[in-house]
Amino acid sequence: MGFKKWMTTMTALTAILTLAAGCGSNSGTNNKPAGETGNQGGADEKKPVKIQYWHSHSDSQVEGLNYMIEEFKKVAPHITVEPVFQGGYDDLHQKLLAAVSANDVPAVTNVEVSSLPTFANDGIFKDLTEYIERDKVDLTDFSGGMLQAYAYQGKQFGFPLIVSTSVMIYNKTLFDSLGATAPQTWNDMDEFIKKVAVVNNGKTERYAFAVPGWDVWYYDPWLINGGGSILNEDMTKAAIDTEDSLRYIKNFEKWFKDGAMQIGYGKGASDTMRQMFLEGSIGMVQHSSAIIKTYVENADFEVGVSFVPGDKTRISNIGGAGIVMMEKAKPEEKDAAWEFIKFMTSAEQNLQWAEKVGYLPTHKSVIDTEEGRAYQERWPQYKAVLENFDNVTPRLQHPTYPEFRNRYKEAVGEMVLNGQDAVAMMQKAAKEINEILDDL
């Protein structure tokens, strides 16, 4: 099924499922933005307005969200923000499509980072450029890659809000005892594996490291760091089967067959990997920076964190979600939505928000402040990420990426679960991706 047809079908389906429930979007009369937060005119000019903020914040983030909404109320008392949890990202995205079909949208919403181009391409999100220019928002203070992840075709549709990246989380106590260090480059991998992996008579007693197979977010950086790319330069054909793009998967296949590398795939794979690491049967795992605190709090050993090892380059892709405005929101809701977006993503609130929800700071200026230094003292594991702040880059920005990435994820699954040849599987996936691209 072509992507356009798939999107039309999905829109219709979600509209039928959720139309009856409605979106409950509320409106007020037009108000002008306020001071540092856009204030123009006295308090008597501001008329009450209520907006909905649709989100996918987990239970552990709700306390932080409620705190931020209360703080926002202090600077914009005329704006009431109603947070509405809409499930995980997939559920949220489907409900947004239904809301657009029903012409009853929230003013503000989360969007998972890799899905922004799909929605932006269809005109669902509001370009924020006019607001940014009007209020002279300093975009240079954001991490460049984090900000670019919420831009598409030269337009800034949103800002990073709950930001993560994949990192290497390791058993520092074990590594110290072995004289091992987390690999910084691909050239370090053989020596690292030799020191950490334990394989006897073909049976692995301790894996040197693990890379999740259940999400391409984890291995896209390996592909890119090896000099490869997912699509060709003009984004018309798959490039996962080029020589440079195949370098990482050939390494994965070798390390996996040698018993040095664990690759989880399928139901329960994340929990299994995490438990194996905590039990000491994996020396290092690639996982989300959002889970660093969980590892630290549950491990009975010292936990270290390193950035993803590099080769021809050294990047890791952004994860998480941003905050955007809906194009179909009412004018008075848009003004209020902008004030809320600006507050939630401001440098002044950045570290408090990051620490309360367990995600990464997004502003450069906060890292070297007194508050930022105190944050790093409390959580030294984040140092490896903050030192590579500008190496956290956008995911591939293409409207069909959320659809076609499953093709090469399944290729990894075939290698892990069924012992299929990795190169052959990637070549097959490339052909399937080209069929999707040709159907645009």
Side-chain angles (χ1 to χ4, degrees):
M1 180 183 294
F3 181 73
K4 289 181 180 178
K5 184 177 179 183
W6 175 83
M7 282 293 292
T8 302
T9 303
M10 183 63 71
T11 302
L13 176 61
T14 52
I16 292 170
L17 292 174
T18 60
L19 185 57
C23 303
S25 179
N26 292 284
S27 65
T29 53
N30 190 35
N31 63 288
K32 295 182 180 179
E36 159 92 345
T37 59
N39 194 357
Q40 298 176 359
D44 58 332
E45 295 181 23
K46 303 190 198 86
K47 296 181 180 179
V49 58
K50 184 176 181 180
I51 60 173
Q52 283 194 344
Y53 169 46
W54 283 15
H55 68 86
S56 291
H57 297 302
S58 64
D59 290 344
S60 63
Q61 298 170 24
V62 169
E63 182 180 347
L65 174 61
N66 291 337
Y67 167 83
M68 292 290 282
I69 290 175
E70 287 302 311
E71 291 298 299
F72 176 64
K73 192 71 174 175
K74 294 175 184 177
V75 300
H78 61 295
I79 301 174
T80 298
V81 178
E82 179 188 0
V84 182
F85 176 68
Q86 295 289 13
Y89 294 138
D90 288 345
D91 291 335
L92 170 63
H93 295 163
Q94 290 184 19
K95 290 175 183 178
L96 286 173
L97 291 172
V100 170
S101 294
N103 287 311
D104 188 11
V105 300
V108 191
T109 184
N110 282 159
V111 62
E112 188 272 326
V113 61
S114 68
S115 298
L116 180 128
T118 305
F119 284 90
N121 191 62
D122 287 347
I124 292 173
F125 297 149
K126 170 71 176 172
D127 175 13
L128 300 179
T129 303
E130 64 181 275
Y131 296 97
I132 293 167
E133 292 177 349
R134 183 195 71 189
D135 291 355
K136 297 179 172 59
V137 176
D138 181 12
L139 299 184
T140 63
D141 191 42
F142 283 95
S143 159
M146 295 180 188
L147 183 69
Q148 182 59 37
Y150 293 95
Y152 183 64
Q153 295 185 338
K155 298 177 181 179
Q156 195 69 45
F157 287 98
F159 293 120
L161 183 65
I162 47 176
V163 173
S164 61
T165 193
S166 68
V167 292
M168 311 307 290
I169 300 168
Y170 62 92
N171 184 333
K172 188 174 186 303
T173 303
L174 172 67
F175 281 21
D176 288 348
S177 71
L178 298 172
T181 57
Q184 303 301 297
T185 70
W186 287 19
N187 289 335
D188 300 332
M189 291 300 297
D190 287 344
E191 183 66 22
F192 163 74
I193 288 171
K194 190 182 300 182
K195 287 184 177 181
V196 180
V198 178
V199 182
N200 287 317
N201 299 319
K203 183 177 181 181
T204 301
E205 297 176 9
R206 182 173 66 221
Y207 293 94
F209 72 112
V211 173
W214 61 81
D215 194 327
V216 301
W217 182 59
Y218 291 104
Y219 37 96
D220 278 355
W222 290 83
L223 183 155
I224 294 165
N225 287 340
S229 60
I230 301 164
L231 298 181
N232 64 2
E233 191 171 350
D234 62 4
M235 293 196 177
T236 58
K237 295 292 181 183
I240 59 171
D241 56 343
T242 65
E243 183 177 351
D244 281 341
S245 295
L246 290 169
R247 290 182 64 219
Y248 87 99
I249 198 65
K250 290 178 180 178
N251 282 330
F252 278 17
E253 185 172 44
K254 178 183 183 303
W255 295 329
F256 178 70
K257 288 183 175 178
D258 288 347
M261 177 186 186
Q262 193 263 0
I263 304 177
Y265 194 94
K267 186 176 181 180
S270 178
D271 289 341
T272 298
M273 183 188 77
R274 184 162 43 213
Q275 190 59 36
M276 289 175 68
F277 174 74
L278 293 173
E279 291 173 351
S281 55
I282 300 177
M284 181 176 73
V285 296
Q286 184 180 2
H287 219 168
S288 170
S289 60
I291 310 177
I292 290 175
K293 291 180 181 178
T294 301
Y295 279 108
V296 172
E297 291 166 353
N298 286 278
D300 58 5
F301 48 80
E302 185 178 358
V303 172
V305 175
S306 183
F307 205 63
V308 176
D311 187 53
K312 293 186 178 181
T313 187
R314 193 182 190 190
I315 62 93
S316 188
N317 283 160
I318 188 174
I323 187 168
V324 297
M325 184 191 303
M326 297 294 285
E327 177 64 66
K328 285 190 173 184
K330 297 177 178 65
E332 61 273 18
E333 291 181 337
K334 287 179 178 176
D335 288 339
W338 167 244
E339 296 306 319
F340 182 62
I341 290 170
K342 193 164 55 168
F343 178 85
M344 289 291 290
T345 60
S346 69
E348 290 78 10
Q349 308 299 327
N350 196 212
L351 273 177
Q352 287 231 50
W353 170 247
E355 186 151 26
K356 285 181 180 296
V357 298
Y359 280 77
L360 297 174
T362 59
H363 285 268
K364 299 174 184 177
S365 62
V366 306
I367 294 173
D368 200 31
T369 62
E370 183 177 345
E371 186 183 10
R373 288 188 290 272
Y375 169 82
Q376 293 177 72
E377 286 178 11
R378 288 192 297 274
W379 295 101
Q381 290 83 7
Y382 286 90
K383 183 180 179 182
V385 183
L386 299 179
E387 287 178 343
N388 288 278
F389 204 56
D390 287 328
N391 295 327
V392 178
T393 63
R395 301 183 74 174
L396 178 70
Q397 292 186 307
H398 192 283
T400 61
Y401 175 65
E403 179 186 10
F404 73 63
R405 67 187 179 197
N406 288 324
R407 299 302 193 273
Y408 63 101
K409 182 185 81 171
E410 290 163 3
V412 171
E414 284 295 317
M415 179 190 78
V416 172
L417 301 179
N418 299 319
Q420 295 295 316
D421 178 75
V423 171
M425 289 298 97
M426 284 297 170
Q427 291 170 338
K428 177 175 180 289
K431 291 179 181 178
E432 294 172 350
I433 291 171
N434 286 335
E435 290 174 359
I436 293 170
L437 295 173
D438 289 343
D439 199 29
L440 287 177

